[in-house]
Amino acid sequence: MSGQSPVTVLVVDDEPHIGRIIRTRLEQDGFRVLLAEHGPEALALLQAEPDVALLVLDLMLPGMSGIDVLRTVREDTRWAALPCIVLTAAGQDAQLRDAESLGAAEIMTKPFSPRGLLGRVRRYTGRDAAPREASAGEFPPGGSPTIGAEATDGSRPSLP
């Protein structure tokens, strides 16, 4: 990416350790990462940083839910087309349907693979990697494959 400014990704997660893990992985790949721990902070960062190329959004946030954040984003013409990867715990089917109806580009269930998330971030920011590197189901040899308790790629099929 020499000669270019880095692509900016806004990560919204109320669990600071998850935000730090995501930020570290994305920054290692050359992304600029903004972190927010709640909805109003995320919206303020979007106002202040017009070059955000992708939103990575947890649904379970204190106060203002991720669904409310995504709805607000979609209602503003400046951000209506902003790609959004939703992160969520399993068992939130109604919220997942809401996220899909609001145009979430992808939904990943926690626990998820940081490498799988990186592949998706690359895809939605136009920085696709080689197919093997972007594969969500592959993990670094000897590394911890997921954020969370079990080994999973974190992808979730579309809901009926």
Side-chain angles (χ1 to χ4, degrees):
M1 288 187 45
S2 61
Q4 299 180 44
S5 58
V7 174
T8 302
V9 177
L10 173 57
V11 176
V12 187
D13 198 305
D14 64 322
E15 297 179 60
H17 66 284
I18 291 179
R20 284 190 304 269
I21 291 168
I22 294 170
R23 178 178 61 199
T24 299
R25 185 65 180 109
L26 295 180
E27 286 177 346
Q28 287 172 344
D29 202 61
F31 288 96
R32 176 176 175 249
V33 179
L34 305 173
L35 284 179
E37 291 186 11
H38 53 79
E41 182 182 12
L43 296 173
L45 282 170
L46 279 174
Q47 290 281 355
E49 301 281 344
D51 62 339
V52 170
L54 176 71
L55 178 62
V56 177
L57 178 66
D58 185 14
L59 289 185
M60 297 299 292
L61 298 171
M64 183 181 202
S65 74
I67 292 297
D68 292 335
V69 171
L70 186 54
R71 184 173 290 113
T72 301
V73 166
R74 293 296 179 241
E75 290 171 351
D76 191 307
T77 57
R78 295 170 294 177
W79 311 317
L82 180 68
C84 178
I85 297 173
V86 167
L87 304 177
T88 186
Q92 298 173 319
D93 290 346
Q95 286 184 318
L96 296 177
R97 278 192 277 282
D98 288 343
E100 287 178 341
S101 72
L102 289 167
E106 185 125 8
I107 295 171
M108 293 184 73
T109 303
K110 292 179 180 179
F112 60 90
S113 155
R115 187 173 182 156
L117 177 61
L118 174 62
R120 287 163 172 83
V121 168
R122 286 178 175 174
R123 180 179 332 134
Y124 292 110
T125 59
R127 292 197 43 220
D128 284 290
R132 177 170 174 74
E133 196 168 336
S135 175
E138 296 180 17
F139 308 109
S144 174
T146 62
I147 294 175
E150 61 186 72
T152 177
D153 74 353
S155 61
R156 179 181 175 93
S158 293
L159 296 169

